[in-house]
Amino acid sequence: MSGLESLYQELILDHSKNRRGFGLAEPGAHSATVHQRNPICGDEVTLRVDVDDDRVTSVTWEGAGCSISQASASMLVSLLAEDGGDDGMARADAEALIAKFREALRSRGQIPLDEETFGDAAALSGVSKYTARVKCAMLAWVALEEGLRQA
């Protein structure tokens, strides 16, 4: 295993054990709560997103499943918090991130996730080579996508 692969594995394990944004916050005036389940492996995530003035102001979640699904949800929340700052991330920017993440994960390893854009979530690039695991990594991102439609 290369040094980079080892680092990525450590990031995934850290996020799966020390889950950022875990625990659903009280719903806000403009929030949506979405539940997603992967029927293949049993991973589940319930995600709550708050949107105010077309900005994603809060994302929290609860779930259970494999380390990839749990780490991916944690990484998503961290990314939104880092890139959105105190005012939150613009809805359009969050939707663009989801689309780029989906494209990379469906590329079967051909499109790596850029660390500058995806932060710790770039560690999930290798998942794209294992089609059975893509749904695990996408679960929280699909929940956010649906939540943004509803909020």
Side-chain angles (χ1 to χ4, degrees):
M1 180 180 315
S2 75
L4 186 59
E5 288 172 333
S6 179
L7 173 65
Y8 281 176
Q9 185 176 30
E10 286 178 36
L11 277 171
I12 291 169
L13 290 174
D14 176 56
H15 274 276
S16 69
K17 291 177 183 173
N18 304 301
R19 300 172 288 187
R20 284 68 159 184
F22 190 81
L24 293 177
E26 290 296 317
H30 306 283
S31 68
T33 304
V34 176
H35 181 79
Q36 290 285 319
R37 183 173 188 277
N38 182 349
I40 296 169
C41 66
D43 293 344
E44 292 189 52
V45 67
T46 301
L47 183 138
R48 179 165 295 143
V49 58
D50 288 308
V51 178
D52 188 23
D53 199 25
D54 249 2
R55 299 196 73 78
V56 178
T57 56
S58 173
V59 176
T60 55
W61 65 282
E62 290 180 347
C66 71
S67 59
I68 291 172
S69 71
Q70 300 298 284
S72 185
S74 176
M75 291 169 170
L76 173 60
V77 170
S78 291
L79 180 61
L80 293 171
E82 290 168 12
D83 286 0
D86 292 338
D87 295 330
M89 179 180 282
R91 179 194 302 251
D93 291 342
E95 290 168 343
L97 272 178
I98 295 165
K100 288 179 185 175
F101 189 80
R102 177 179 283 116
E103 179 184 21
L105 259 64
R106 289 183 175 170
S107 75
R108 297 183 185 252
Q110 298 303 305
I111 303 171
L113 292 165
D114 175 53
E115 274 188 64
E116 181 116 356
T117 304
F118 289 96
D120 286 354
L124 297 167
S125 285
V127 172
S128 70
K129 296 174 187 171
Y130 307 97
T131 55
R133 306 304 271 161
V134 168
K135 177 92 172 162
C136 302
M138 285 296 306
L139 206 58
W141 298 72
V142 170
L144 176 61
E145 184 176 51
E146 181 61 28
L148 291 173
R149 279 190 212 112
Q150 293 179 18

